[in-house]
Amino acid sequence: MMDGVSLNTDPVVDDDADADEFEIEGDCGMAKCISQSGVIQGENPLPPVVGMEFDSYEDVYYFYNCYAKEQGFGVRVSNTWYRKTKERYRGKLSCSSAGFKKKSEANRPRPETRTGCPAMIKFRLMENKRWRIIEVELDHNHLISAVSGKFYKSHKQLGIGTKRALHLDSAEEVQKVRLFRTVVIDVEGNGSVEVSSGEFRSSHNQTSQLRLKDGDAQAIHNYFSHLQLIDPNFFYVVDLNEKGCLRNLFWSNTRSRVAYGYFGDVVAVDTICLTDKYQVPLVSFIGVNHHGQSVLLGCGLLAGDTIEACTWLFRAWLTCMLGRPPQVIITDQCRTLQAAVADVFPRAFHCLCLPRIMQKVPEKLGGLYEYESIRMALNNAVYYSLRPEEFEATWEDMIHHYRLRNHVWLQMLYEDRRQWVPVYLKEIFLAGMLLTRPNEVVESFFDGYLDKHTSLKEFLDKYDQALQANHQLEVLADMESRNSGFMLQSRCYFELQLAKLYTNNILRKFEREVEGMYSCFCTRQINGEGEVITYMVREQIEVDGNRRECRDFEVLYNATEMEVLCVCGLFNFKGYLCRHALSVLHQNGIEEIPPQYVVSRWRKDIKRSYVLNHSNGGIDINNPVHRYDHLYKCIMQVVEEGRKSEVRYKDTVQALDQILRKLNLVEGRL
C-alpha cells in the first residue's frame, strides 16, 4: 500500500515550459549564497551520488542547483510526493530539458527547449529525518556548457523572500569551508566576504563540518577526480551539513573492495587519529591478507566522534561492501563506537582492542599507590588466565587486595570483559588480528605516512605511496611463497604438510608452534570416557618476561571426528593449531593436520584477482557510455592477469594486437 501520493507529478507533455520552475519562498539555507543580484555564487566540484544526505528538501535543491550551474544546465522539480498530512517525503529534480512541451496551436509558438533529457536525481525523507539521494542519472541527451549556466531561471533570483541579512558577530563567524568554493554575501549591502579555506568557522556545534585548511578541499577534489579516471569502480560517499559544507567522507578503491571478499571475516576499525587529535581525522578499515599483512578496506574522514558520524561512516562502508557485514569487528573501547557498531553490525561479534586498552594502564592507574604491583596483577589476570572462572577469581583478588572497588575505569573494563579479555574470546575466529600477548603493539596501516601534524593535503599526496608500498609487500610475499621453498627447521610431518599449502609468512609463525612441541615435556591422558579423550599437556612458559613456570593445558581429542581443542584457544586466535594440540595429535600417531584445521585464507595456491567481477547484465549496447564502461572493466581484468608473469605479459600483448588487427579489418569493411 502506498503511503502517499504525488500532488504535482510532471506530465510528459506540458503546456508551459516554465510552469514547473521551482522557487523557494521564505527563509532557507539557500539565502546565504545569494548575491545582491540574486545569482548563486560558487561551484560544486563533486557530482551527486546515491547515499548523500541533507537536512532539508531545500538543501537538496540548493546542492543540485549549484552542481547544475557549474555543469551548464537548469533545474526544475519534476515530482514532489506528499503524505496525507501534507508532509513532503519524496522528490525528483530534473534537468530543465526533461520531458516535452505540448504542441502549441499559437501563430508564433515558442521554440522547443525540451529534449526528454534523462538527467535527474531522486531523493526521499529517511527515518532519521534527513533527505537521502536514492537515484542519480548524470548523463544528458543534449549539449551542456558551463558558460550558459547563468541564463537558466533556476540560477537567477530566487525571490525577495529569501533575502535576509547575515548576522556576523566576528570575522571568525564569516569564515567557513564548503564542499564547493563560494562567496558569502550580506544581501543588505554590507559587501561580500571571500571565504578563506584555511580556517574553520566557529560554531556551536564543532562537529558540523570538517576542519579543512588551505588547499585541503581542492586536494580532495583533485585526488578523487584522479581516482575516478584510473579506477572505474572507485567508490565514495559525501555527507554534507545543512549549509552544504563537507561534514563526513568515505572512500574505497577497487582493490580494497575486492580484498574484502577474500579477507572480510575479521575487520578492525582504526580510530587513533580521532582519539589522538590528528590534523587528519582519519578512520581506517583494516583486514589481514593471506600473508598476515594488513590490507586496507576503506577510509573515512569524520568531523567528530559522535554516534551519528560513526553510524554514517559504518553504513557508507557497508554499502560499499554490498551489504555484507564482517563476522568480527574490532574497535577501541569507546561508548560511541560501541553504540554505532551495535546499530550497523548487530550480528557481528564486537571485540575491543586489547593492546590499546593495556596501553592506557599507566595513564589510568599510574597515580595509584602500589601501581607496579597492580599492573602485574592485572597482566596476570588478563594474559595468563585459561578459564573464565580463573580470570574472575584473579580479578576479584586484585580489586579486593588493592581496594579498587570504586575505580571507574576498572569498573568499565570489567563490564566489557567479554569483548576484550582473551579467555572469553576463544570461540571467536580472529585471524591473528587481536593481539593477545603482553607488550604487543598495534601498528597503524599508515605508519610513516601520517602523524599528528600531517595536513590533509600532505596525507593525500602520500596516500598512493602507502597503498603501493603495501601492494608491493604482498606481491613480493606472493613471489617468495610460490617460487622459493620454505627452509624447514624440522622434519615434522605437520610442517611438511603445511609447507605445500601455506604462505611463507604464516609458516614462520606456525613453525614456532612446531618448535614449541619440544617444550611440552609431559602429555598424559586423564579421562577417556566416550569418544572424547582429555589430555593434560604440561609446558614451561615465560611469565612477566623474566620468570618461568609450569602450566597444564587441557586438550580434548575426538579420534572419530578428528577434532582437537586446546584450552589455550590459539587456533581461533591465530588460525593455526597450537603446540599442545600438535603434541596430542603426534602422540596418537596422526601425521597430518585434519582438514578442518587447514584454513583456506592462508593458502598460497588460491588465485586471488583484485578486479571486481562484472557481467554484461544491464549493459545497453546501444549506449556508447555503457559500452566504454563495460569494456574498460573487462580489459582491467585482462591487465591484472597479464601482469603476473613475463610469459603472461607476452601472451596478453600478442592477444591484444590480434584484437586490434581484427577490429581494424572490420572497420575497413564498413
Side-chain angles (χ1 to χ4, degrees):
M1 181 177 179
M2 295 182 63
D3 61 349
V5 293
S6 173
L7 298 185
N8 65 329
T9 303
D10 183 37
V12 174
V13 178
D14 193 0
D15 290 326
D16 186 354
D18 297 323
D20 290 312
E21 288 289 332
F22 188 58
E23 296 188 357
I24 298 177
E25 298 290 332
D27 189 34
C28 71
M30 295 185 200
K32 295 185 179 182
C33 290
I34 307 299
S35 69
Q36 289 175 298
S37 64
V39 180
I40 293 179
Q41 304 289 321
E43 55 189 75
N44 173 18
L46 297 178
V49 294
V50 173
M52 281 183 173
E53 288 189 357
F54 303 82
D55 282 346
S56 69
Y57 185 107
E58 288 77 15
D59 287 342
V60 182
Y61 180 90
Y62 172 67
F63 172 79
Y64 191 56
N65 202 22
C66 287
Y67 166 74
K69 179 177 182 291
E70 182 197 43
Q71 297 296 312
F73 67 93
V75 172
R76 61 193 184 89
V77 177
S78 293
N79 304 74
T80 301
W81 285 265
Y82 292 79
R83 304 186 194 277
K84 293 179 181 179
T85 59
K86 302 295 179 69
E87 178 191 21
R88 292 180 294 194
Y89 73 93
R90 187 181 175 101
K92 177 182 177 182
L93 303 180
S94 300
C95 171
S96 58
S97 295
F100 296 95
K101 287 194 302 180
K102 184 178 179 180
K103 291 185 178 179
S104 174
E105 297 180 358
N107 293 331
R108 299 179 62 185
R110 286 191 290 180
E112 176 63 84
T113 58
R114 305 275 188 97
T115 63
C117 181
M120 61 85 200
I121 62 169
K122 291 181 181 178
F123 52 101
R124 69 170 298 133
L125 185 65
M126 308 306 292
E127 292 182 0
N128 61 2
K129 300 303 180 183
R130 289 171 62 79
W131 291 82
R132 180 182 298 171
I133 295 178
I134 58 174
E135 187 176 342
V136 174
E137 176 57 61
L138 298 179
D139 294 333
H140 298 259
N141 64 1
H142 58 94
L143 294 176
I144 58 175
S145 170
V147 177
S148 61
K150 61 183 179 181
F151 299 112
Y152 287 99
K153 184 178 179 181
S154 62
H155 307 318
K156 300 286 182 66
Q157 187 169 347
L158 297 178
I160 195 68
T162 66
K163 290 188 176 183
R164 64 186 176 91
L166 299 181
H167 301 288
L168 307 177
D169 296 331
S170 68
E172 287 185 352
E173 292 185 353
V174 176
Q175 297 166 335
K176 62 181 179 177
V177 179
R178 303 180 67 86
L179 177 63
F180 34 87
R181 296 184 301 277
T182 187
V183 175
V184 181
I185 303 297
D186 181 342
V187 296
E188 294 299 322
N190 295 332
S192 64
V193 183
E194 299 230 355
V195 176
S196 169
S197 59
E199 298 186 31
F200 180 74
R201 181 174 61 94
S202 62
S203 169
H204 296 295
N205 182 4
Q206 293 295 326
T207 63
S208 65
Q209 67 187 63
L210 284 173
R211 294 173 176 264
L212 300 180
K213 291 192 171 183
D214 187 26
D216 286 350
Q218 189 62 45
I220 294 173
H221 174 217
N222 293 344
Y223 186 70
F224 279 21
S225 298
H226 168 70
L227 281 181
Q228 285 181 305
L229 286 174
I230 65 173
D231 183 355
N233 296 300
F234 173 68
F235 179 99
Y236 73 92
V237 185
V238 176
D239 179 32
L240 307 176
N241 66 14
E242 67 280 358
K243 295 180 179 137
C245 304
L246 182 59
R247 175 164 48 199
N248 303 309
L249 183 64
F250 169 78
W251 72 94
S252 179
N253 62 15
T254 297
R255 187 175 184 85
S256 294
R257 298 176 70 186
V258 177
Y260 180 72
Y262 296 124
F263 313 115
D265 48 356
V266 185
V267 174
V269 182
D270 185 354
T271 54
I272 190 68
C273 295
L274 290 180
T275 55
D276 286 3
K277 308 299 182 185
Y278 280 42
Q279 285 194 33
V280 179
L282 182 73
V283 177
S284 305
F285 295 84
I286 308 295
V288 291
N289 64 13
H290 48 305
H291 302 289
Q293 300 166 335
S294 294
V295 56
L296 187 66
L297 302 176
C299 286
L301 300 176
L302 295 185
D305 54 353
T306 64
I307 294 176
E308 292 76 13
C310 293
T311 299
W312 178 90
L313 181 65
F314 290 164
R315 285 178 177 163
W317 180 77
L318 190 59
T319 299
C320 176
M321 301 308 173
L322 305 179
R324 298 169 298 171
Q327 297 172 24
V328 179
I329 189 162
I330 304 171
T331 72
D332 285 353
Q333 185 189 33
C334 168
R335 292 295 183 240
T336 297
L337 289 171
Q338 287 169 269
V341 168
D343 184 13
V344 183
F345 308 107
R347 296 183 181 179
F349 188 89
H350 184 194
C351 290
L352 304 179
C353 183
L354 172 58
R356 293 267 168 83
I357 289 175
M358 299 307 285
Q359 284 172 12
K360 295 178 183 177
V361 169
E363 172 193 347
K364 300 293 186 179
L365 306 179
L368 297 177
Y369 180 66
E370 294 186 285
Y371 162 70
E372 193 59 33
S373 298
I374 295 173
R375 184 192 65 80
M376 292 178 64
L378 180 62
N379 276 8
N380 187 47
V382 171
Y383 291 113
Y384 302 110
S385 297
L386 290 178
R387 300 182 184 280
E389 55 269 24
E390 184 181 344
F391 169 79
E392 300 278 354
T394 309
W395 182 277
E396 177 60 28
D397 287 345
M398 176 187 72
I399 295 296
H400 176 73
H401 185 270
Y402 297 104
R403 299 179 181 180
L404 300 171
R405 190 77 59 191
N406 296 322
H407 196 284
V408 176
W409 185 66
L410 289 176
Q411 286 178 350
M412 187 170 63
L413 287 186
Y414 185 75
E415 290 172 5
D416 292 337
R417 64 192 181 281
R418 298 183 185 277
Q419 293 178 276
W420 66 276
V421 180
V423 75
Y424 294 103
L425 305 176
K426 293 177 181 179
E427 296 182 5
I428 310 299
F429 185 77
L430 296 168
M433 290 202 65
L434 189 71
L435 304 179
T436 57
R437 292 176 177 147
N439 303 318
E440 289 184 306
V441 178
V442 178
E443 293 184 0
S444 171
F445 183 88
F446 291 103
D447 273 349
Y449 301 92
L450 178 64
D451 58 37
K452 285 187 177 182
H453 307 294
T454 304
S455 70
L456 179 57
K457 184 176 182 300
E458 290 174 315
F459 171 65
L460 291 176
D461 289 340
K462 298 177 181 178
Y463 183 82
D464 275 342
Q465 297 177 29
L467 265 59
Q468 287 298 326
N470 179 262
H471 180 202
Q472 189 168 8
L473 286 175
E474 181 176 328
V475 171
L476 292 173
D478 280 340
M479 293 175 59
E480 181 195 14
S481 296
R482 283 197 304 263
N483 302 328
S484 60
F486 185 74
M487 298 296 294
L488 301 178
Q489 300 298 316
S490 71
R491 303 303 296 174
C492 174
Y493 293 123
F494 304 135
E495 196 173 14
L496 287 169
Q497 174 194 2
L498 293 189
K500 300 174 184 177
L501 303 174
Y502 280 7
T503 60
N504 289 2
N505 283 2
I506 302 301
L507 279 172
R508 291 186 185 97
K509 297 176 182 180
F510 177 69
E511 188 177 55
R512 290 197 287 268
E513 297 307 309
V514 173
E515 294 172 354
M517 289 171 59
Y518 302 105
S519 66
C520 299
F521 55 88
C522 179
T523 302
R524 68 187 190 279
Q525 179 179 332
I526 62 172
N527 185 1
E529 296 180 4
E531 294 182 344
V532 179
I533 303 174
T534 303
Y535 289 88
M536 196 64 70
V537 180
R538 178 164 293 180
E539 181 192 9
Q540 193 174 55
I541 65 171
E542 188 177 272
V543 180
D544 289 335
N546 56 6
R547 181 169 58 88
R548 300 187 71 84
E549 67 177 39
C550 290
R551 297 292 300 271
D552 289 333
F553 295 87
E554 185 181 86
V555 180
L556 304 180
Y557 175 61
N558 185 331
T560 304
E561 301 294 333
M562 291 299 292
E563 293 178 345
V564 61
L565 177 66
C566 180
V567 70
C568 78
L570 185 77
F571 178 75
N572 277 335
F573 287 144
K574 301 297 183 182
Y576 44 83
L577 287 177
C578 66
R579 59 195 65 185
H580 319 113
L582 295 175
S583 296
V584 170
L585 290 176
H586 178 69
Q587 181 162 314
N588 281 273
I590 306 301
E591 296 183 352
E592 284 196 349
I593 294 173
Q596 63 265 40
Y597 302 110
V598 178
V599 182
S600 61
R601 69 166 0 265
W602 306 137
R603 295 183 69 130
K604 62 184 177 183
D605 55 346
I606 294 179
K607 293 184 177 180
R608 299 176 176 90
S609 173
Y610 290 99
V611 177
L612 283 177
N613 184 24
H614 294 277
S615 65
N616 59 359
I619 299 298
D620 179 7
I621 62 173
N622 295 316
N623 187 322
V625 176
H626 285 201
R627 292 199 302 266
Y628 176 88
D629 191 46
H630 183 63
L631 286 172
Y632 187 92
K633 292 168 182 175
C634 291
I635 203 66
M636 285 303 295
Q637 193 161 359
V638 175
V639 171
E640 179 69 19
E641 292 298 320
R643 70 168 183 82
K644 292 182 177 178
S645 69
E646 185 177 345
V647 174
R648 285 191 174 195
Y649 167 77
K650 291 179 179 178
D651 289 343
T652 301
V653 172
Q654 184 178 358
L656 290 175
D657 285 341
Q658 292 175 356
I659 292 173
L660 283 173
R661 284 197 296 270
K662 184 176 180 180
L663 291 175
N664 290 332
L665 286 174
V666 172
E667 184 179 5
R669 295 171 187 166
L670 297 178

